[in-house]
């Protein structure tokens, strides 16, 4: 019934033409009243239902933010330490428009890593009109400060997802639940991430292509990485694998601790080469390449949207929460979306396509709310089924263990929050974009290894190592430990005793977990978060690989480059692992199960695959199977784990997705 009414509205308004001139940014626009979308009062499920947990930005305890408040040059108001809105990046409609129109060529849902580049490319050359809808708000001055990266996970800049309780993981975390924050901002997770720039290896992409995903081999995707990139990397000025004219700035981190060099020196002792890990010769160690620009965070929004705010044909609407894709059940075509903004509900139509770029949790969530997903599952919530697909049935993630700590007998080697929180350091950062405030919250170096548990042939890693010049104790438990929801009693017992000595950690990332998770609807209410199941460490190989990784890290630190600073493994037994001998395999397994931290790379929930793949949700051109004019373009389409953190891959998917759409509609 509802579908029919919609279709009628759709056909009536199809013939309204634009009253504004698409050819000139500066031209004044005249928009007829009837071209605007008319909001309707909310019925049924409305915004801010009490079940959605709300968090306040000003409750985060941070000595760095405190000192920023006291830095006279920044002119902050100490009475209103609003880290969410200071110099907040505003997205207003271009001049001449007073609200969203009733119809656009393309509607992009989610201005994240992928959505930002996608919307910017589709609106290039003013050949098509684009509406970009984003649930979050613009970045603030604070989100651009790299050292503050972990702060925003506990603010309104993040969706506060929790994994369903899984016995035997996240045992040391609040209510034994793993915390899965995701970016909620114009720029998406690239506004709160750690800025590590990684692309995945030729083997990864060639395997994806070999399973029937034409157009996704390394040779195919490399040009898209290069297209976006504006690299400024020492020693790589002539590398053919880096772009120099793109919008996304990739730089060396200007701040380096002495431990970063020790990490590379130690790796050398074990025969690891120093490499450009974003080239085909990736198997080695390196300083991190980061998505920063002059020391400040280069989010996808900053790279692709900031300079395009005036485009008359690109309407960016923050604080706009999409609740449904409108689909004509007879033609099985996406015709628009419904979204909530400031308590009002709008239905806007797409003349050409609707594109979901809402990330690996919300894109599948929106598909299911719109009738696309596992048939029985949708039916059990009373959702009319439009297309039976395995939405949400695959989910992979990269887990890590931030719990190791090595203490030092020297000082000034690590970033201790208490010590670096000085007005001088703030001014240094504000003026020159360097100093400790430009550190990626301590993460400095990266290395790929293959443990002896791996069954892969050749140089294909199963573990990524991340060298850091900080540990969980470096911020006195106020930020990083809180960001993973580590229990206070756990922190106090294990880490508080080393707050007054310098300490650091080396993280591992389990690159190719065999454990597979999934996600499902919690209810038919779009404001209810879906149920998330990580199924971490349910495959024994994952446990064995994680344990090997820890032993490898300990070996790496037990070398002269680290010894000279007195680096010593901190041997405090975890309260959750008292029944195992410290350092035994069982102990390390228990340790990883106590502090099981995601690195936030959930993927595959709208898996890409050829028609022969029964688990695929989108085809290799990212079109949703069985539904016309609907694509998913974000990290959720990645069909399998890759040797990478997923920001740059999501941006690449956005770039490639834009080209696929342009080809379909002959917009060149
Ligand atoms: C804390 C953290 C640290 C990370 N660190 C790194 C790192 O150092 N390096 C790296 O490469 N990767 C990192 N990642 C991962 C990487 O940032 C993500 O994989 C990537 O940003 C995903 O891009 P995306 O476009 O798929 O989704 P996102 O960037 O998450 O974008 C989705 C967007 O859609 C919006 N949205 C969702 N639902 C709706 C709706 N219903 N209506 C309107 N808008 C909606 C969201 O608010 C969001 O802005 C990190 C992620 C997190 C969370
Ligand atoms: C792998 O190496 C570790 C030492 O790091 C050793 O204890 C273990 O026995 C080895 N396992 C195999 C299968 O070779
Ligand atoms: C730290 O320990 C190392 C190794 O034991 C030693 O060589 C070094 O002199 C010590 N440094 C300080 C400052 O005590």
């Amino acid at each position: 019934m509802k579908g029919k009414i919609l279709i009628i509205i759709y056909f009536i308004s199809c013939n309204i033409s634009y009253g504004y001139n698409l050819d000139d940014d500066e031209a004044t626009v005249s928009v007829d009243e009837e071209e605007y979308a008319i909001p309707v009062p909310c019925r049924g499920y409305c915004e801010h239902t009490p079940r959605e947990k709300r968090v306040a930005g000003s409750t985060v305890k941070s000595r760095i933010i405190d000192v920023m408040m006291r830095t006279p040059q920044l002119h902050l108001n100490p009475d209103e330490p609003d880290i969410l809105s200071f110099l907040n990046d505003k997205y207003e409609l271009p001049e001449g428009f007073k609200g969203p129109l009733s119809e656009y060529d393309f509607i992009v849902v989610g201005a994240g890593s992928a959505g930002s580049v996608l919307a910017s490319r589709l609106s290039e050359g003013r050949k098509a009109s684009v509406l970009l809808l984003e649930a979050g708000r613009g970045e603030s001055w604070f989100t651009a400060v790299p050292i503050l990266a972990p702060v925003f996970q506990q603010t309104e800049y993040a969706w506060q997802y929790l994994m369903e309780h899984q016995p035997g993981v996240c045992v040391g975390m609040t209510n034994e639940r793993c915390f899965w924050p995701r970016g909620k901002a114009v720029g998406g997770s690239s506004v709160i991430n750690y800025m590590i720039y990684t692309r995945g290896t030729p083997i990864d992409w060639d395997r994806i292509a070999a399973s029937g995903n034409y157009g996704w081999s390394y040779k195919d995707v490399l040009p898209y990485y290069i297209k976006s990139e504006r690299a400024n990397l020492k020693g790589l000025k002539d590398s053919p694998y880096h772009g120099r004219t793109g919008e996304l700035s990739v730089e060396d981190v200007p701040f380096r601790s002495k431990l970063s060099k020790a990490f590379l020196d130690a790796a050398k002792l074990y025969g690891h080469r120093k490499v450009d890990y974003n080239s085909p010769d990736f198997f080695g160690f390196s300083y991190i390449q980061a998505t920063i620009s002059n020391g400040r965070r280069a989010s996808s929004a900053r790279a692709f949207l900031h300079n395009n705010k005036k485009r008359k044909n690109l309407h960016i609407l923050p604080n706009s929460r999409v609740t449904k894709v409108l689909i004509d059940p007879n033609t099985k075509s996406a015709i628009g979306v419904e979204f909530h903004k400031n308590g009002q509900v709008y239905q806007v139509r797409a003349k050409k396509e609707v594109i979901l770029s809402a990330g690996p949790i919300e894109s599948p969530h929106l598909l299911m709310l719109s009738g696309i997903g596992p048939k029985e599952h949708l039916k059990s919530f009373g959702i009319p089924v439009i297309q039976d697909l395995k939405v949400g049935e695959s989910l992979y993630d990269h887990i890590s263990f931030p719990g190791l700590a090595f203490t030092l007998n020297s000082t000034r080697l690590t970033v201790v929050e208490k010590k670096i929180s000085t007005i001088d350091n703030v001014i240094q950062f504000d003026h020159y974009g360097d100093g400790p405030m430009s550190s990626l919250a301590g993460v400095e170096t990266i290395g790929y290894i293959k443990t002896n548990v791996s069954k892969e042939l050749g140089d294909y890693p199963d573990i990524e190592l991340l060298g850091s010049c900080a540990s969980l104790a470096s911020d006195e438990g106020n930020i990083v430990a809180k960001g993973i929801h580590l229990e206070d009693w756990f922190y106090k017992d294990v880490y508080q005793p080393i707050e007054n000595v310098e300490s650091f950690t080396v993280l591992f990332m389990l690159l190719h977990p065999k454990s597979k998770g999934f996600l499902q609807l919690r209810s038919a209410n779009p404001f209810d978060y879906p149920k998330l199941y990580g199924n971490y460490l349910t495959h024994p190989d994952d446990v064995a690989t994680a344990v090997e990784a820890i032993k490898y890290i300990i070996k790496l630190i037990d070398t002269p480059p680290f010894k000279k600073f007195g680096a010593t493994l901190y041997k405090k037994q975890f309260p959750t692992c008292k029944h195992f001998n410290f350092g035994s395999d069982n102990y390390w397994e228990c340790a990883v199960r106590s502090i099981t931290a995601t690195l936030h790379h959930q993927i595959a929930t709208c898996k890409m695959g050829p028609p022969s793949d029964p688990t695929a949700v989108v085809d290799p051109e990212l079109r949703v199977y069985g539904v016309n004019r609907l694509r998913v373009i974000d990290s959720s389409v990645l069909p399998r784990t890759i040797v990478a953190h997923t920001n740059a891959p999501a941006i690449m998917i956005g770039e490639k997705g834009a080209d696929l759409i342009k080809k379909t509609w002959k917009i060149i």
Side-chain angles (χ1 to χ4, degrees):
M1 190 58 200
K2 208 171 170 191
K4 272 200 185 126
I5 295 169
L6 278 171
I7 300 155
I8 295 163
I9 301 170
Y10 176 61
F11 284 118
I12 292 172
S13 45
C14 243
N15 296 324
I16 299 171
S17 60
Y18 290 100
Y20 63 93
N21 180 358
L22 282 178
D23 290 318
D24 190 352
D25 275 355
E26 304 308 319
T28 50
V29 289
S30 65
V31 187
D32 291 341
E33 277 307 314
E34 63 263 38
E35 291 178 45
Y36 285 111
I38 302 158
V40 294
C42 181
R43 282 194 208 94
Y45 300 118
C46 300
E47 234 172 341
H48 307 320
T49 55
R51 268 194 273 177
E52 200 190 2
K53 197 180 153 207
R54 298 186 64 76
V55 280
S58 47
T59 57
V60 180
K61 256 211 235 160
S62 159
R63 290 174 187 269
I64 296 171
I65 291 173
D66 292 346
V67 72
M68 284 170 172
M69 294 300 159
R70 283 188 277 108
T71 304
Q73 285 81 344
L74 294 186
H75 305 292
L76 291 162
N77 180 354
D79 300 328
E80 270 178 70
D82 190 352
I83 59 167
L84 301 181
S85 61
F86 178 62
L87 289 186
N88 181 254
D89 192 16
K90 299 273 187 307
Y91 287 88
E92 266 138 31
L93 288 176
E95 222 182 294
F97 294 91
K98 57 176 194 182
L101 303 177
S102 57
E103 178 173 85
Y104 293 84
D105 288 321
F106 299 105
I107 299 176
V108 179
V109 178
S113 300
S116 297
V117 59
L118 174 64
S120 85
R121 297 295 185 221
L122 290 179
S123 58
E124 264 167 9
R126 308 173 194 99
K127 299 212 172 74
S129 58
V130 179
L131 176 63
L132 177 57
L133 295 164
E134 168 53 50
R137 64 176 101 186
E139 295 159 85
S140 89
W141 184 88
F142 290 92
T143 54
V145 185
I147 191 115
L148 293 177
V151 164
F152 302 99
Q153 298 172 20
Q154 306 161 63
T155 68
E156 283 182 38
Y157 275 120
W159 300 73
Q160 306 284 307
Y161 299 114
L162 286 170
M163 199 175 100
E164 293 301 298
H165 176 252
Q166 181 195 333
V169 297
C170 298
V171 175
M173 281 121 138
T174 310
N175 299 324
E176 301 195 7
R177 303 271 300 271
C178 310
F179 181 43
W180 283 15
R182 304 271 326 164
K184 187 178 190 177
V186 184
S189 297
S190 74
V191 169
I192 66 165
N193 74 10
Y194 271 64
M195 292 154 276
I196 299 165
Y197 180 78
T198 50
R199 298 170 171 179
T201 69
I203 304 166
D204 294 323
W205 294 105
D206 289 347
R207 283 183 180 180
I208 287 173
S211 56
N213 296 300
Y214 58 87
W216 292 91
S217 71
Y218 182 70
K219 186 173 71 51
D220 294 318
V221 302
L222 179 63
Y224 290 108
Y225 280 116
I226 291 178
K227 180 179 183 187
S228 309
E229 189 184 19
R230 195 174 72 243
N232 182 9
L233 297 165
K234 228 175 110 193
L236 296 175
K237 295 235 163 2
D238 301 316
S239 163
Y241 299 103
H242 289 275
R244 280 157 201 89
T245 56
E247 294 85 348
L248 181 69
S249 174
V250 177
E251 294 179 351
D252 302 300
V253 181
F255 173 83
R256 274 176 196 169
S257 77
K258 283 187 184 153
L259 290 176
S260 64
K261 181 154 187 309
F263 187 78
L264 300 182
D265 289 345
K268 203 168 161 187
L269 293 176
Y270 282 107
H272 298 290
R273 292 172 309 125
K274 202 170 161 225
V275 295
D276 169 10
Y277 65 86
N278 282 318
S279 77
D281 185 25
F282 63 89
F283 196 61
F285 281 59
S286 170
Y287 290 110
I288 277 176
Q289 303 176 5
T291 43
I292 54 175
S293 172
N294 298 316
R296 286 174 170 76
R297 176 189 295 277
S299 72
S300 194
R302 188 165 161 206
F304 302 103
L305 297 177
H306 281 223
N307 295 331
N308 300 324
K309 286 182 190 174
K310 284 192 181 149
R311 284 184 186 167
K312 302 282 192 224
N313 60 326
L314 172 60
H315 292 184
I316 305 167
L317 288 190
N319 303 309
S320 303
R321 173 94 168 244
V322 175
T323 48
K324 198 179 185 172
V325 182
L326 304 171
I327 300 167
D328 175 344
N330 299 317
T331 61
K332 285 204 183 184
S333 296
I335 56 173
V337 301
E338 179 172 289
F339 68 94
H340 293 230
K341 185 177 176 61
N342 302 330
Q344 290 184 307
V345 185
Y346 296 82
Q347 291 191 339
V348 174
R349 287 174 307 277
K351 280 195 284 186
K352 295 192 166 74
E353 288 192 32
V354 173
I355 302 113
L356 296 181
S357 300
I361 295 172
E362 287 302 317
S363 284
H365 189 202
L366 284 168
L367 284 180
M368 290 197 274
L369 292 168
S370 314
I372 302 164
K375 193 161 109 196
E376 295 308 319
H377 181 58
L378 299 190
K379 274 190 187 162
S380 71
F381 290 100
I383 298 172
V385 180
I386 291 187
Q387 181 69 25
D388 182 16
L389 284 178
K390 306 256 185 246
V391 174
E393 291 195 3
S394 305
L395 190 158
Y396 300 102
D397 194 8
H398 282 151
I399 57 163
S400 179
F401 177 61
L404 278 182
F406 299 91
T407 55
L408 300 162
N409 66 354
S410 329
T411 54
R412 291 162 175 263
L413 290 173
T414 66
V415 287
V416 179
E417 200 201 16
K418 196 159 57 179
K419 292 191 193 158
I420 61 160
S421 299
T422 66
I423 289 183
D424 281 354
N425 281 341
V426 173
I427 293 174
Q428 175 78 18
F429 176 76
D430 197 42
H431 284 190
Y432 305 106
D434 60 18
M437 301 291 158
S438 70
S439 164
L440 311 183
V443 183
E444 304 189 291
T445 40
I446 198 162
Y448 293 106
I449 62 166
K450 188 166 92 166
T451 69
N452 58 5
V453 178
S454 171
K455 294 179 182 95
E456 292 278 352
L457 300 169
D459 286 347
Y460 191 60
D462 56 353
I463 286 291
E464 177 189 285
L465 299 178
L466 291 166
S468 160
C469 61
S471 80
L472 282 175
S474 303
D475 62 16
E476 295 154 282
N478 284 328
I479 300 170
V480 179
K482 290 253 163 37
I484 56 170
H485 282 194
L486 190 65
E487 280 279 15
D488 274 350
W489 53 261
F490 197 112
Y491 178 84
K492 288 204 173 102
D493 184 49
V494 180
Y495 299 101
Q496 203 171 49
I498 52 165
E499 278 177 1
N500 291 321
V501 285
E502 293 212 7
S503 63
F504 70 99
T505 190
V506 174
L507 303 154
F508 73 78
M509 172 162 116
L510 189 65
L511 288 169
H512 304 294
K514 294 178 181 162
S515 310
K516 186 177 161 194
F518 61 97
L519 66 79
Q520 286 187 330
L521 291 172
R522 183 176 306 278
S523 76
N525 180 348
F527 297 97
D528 267 352
Y529 288 162
K531 286 187 174 178
L532 310 167
Y533 300 88
N535 284 343
Y536 294 148
L537 302 174
T538 46
H539 195 292
D541 288 358
D542 294 353
V543 176
T545 310
V547 169
E548 279 311 308
I550 292 179
K551 293 198 282 192
Y552 201 92
I553 292 168
I554 294 169
K555 257 170 52 184
L556 196 67
I557 306 307
D558 192 19
T559 49
F562 283 107
K563 283 274 169 205
K564 71 169 182 245
F565 303 125
T568 310
L569 176 64
Y570 175 52
K571 296 207 174 80
K572 174 83 191 202
Q573 193 116 358
F574 280 9
T576 41
C577 304
K578 288 260 181 349
H579 43 303
F580 296 115
N581 286 332
F582 184 93
S584 64
D585 286 9
N586 287 340
Y587 180 83
W588 289 127
E589 173 177 351
C590 174
V592 176
R593 291 184 179 281
S594 302
I595 307 184
T596 325
T598 173
L599 287 184
H600 320 280
H601 302 163
Q602 293 92 4
I603 56 160
T605 50
C606 302
K607 192 178 168 228
M608 166 173 75
S612 57
D613 177 354
T615 65
V617 173
V618 298
D619 72 9
E621 297 187 33
L622 309 181
R623 296 172 293 210
V624 175
Y625 276 112
V627 182
N628 303 310
R629 303 183 174 206
L630 180 62
R631 296 193 211 225
V632 179
I633 301 187
D634 61 26
S635 57
S636 64
V637 304
L638 276 170
R640 53 181 294 151
T641 51
I642 56 176
V643 181
H645 301 240
T646 41
N647 180 46
I651 292 172
M652 179 278 286
I653 291 166
E655 286 279 17
K656 183 167 162 68
D659 265 12
L660 291 169
I661 292 175
K662 286 179 172 181
K663 211 177 94 201
T664 299
W665 298 95
K666 304 197 168 49
I667 310 169
I668 308 299

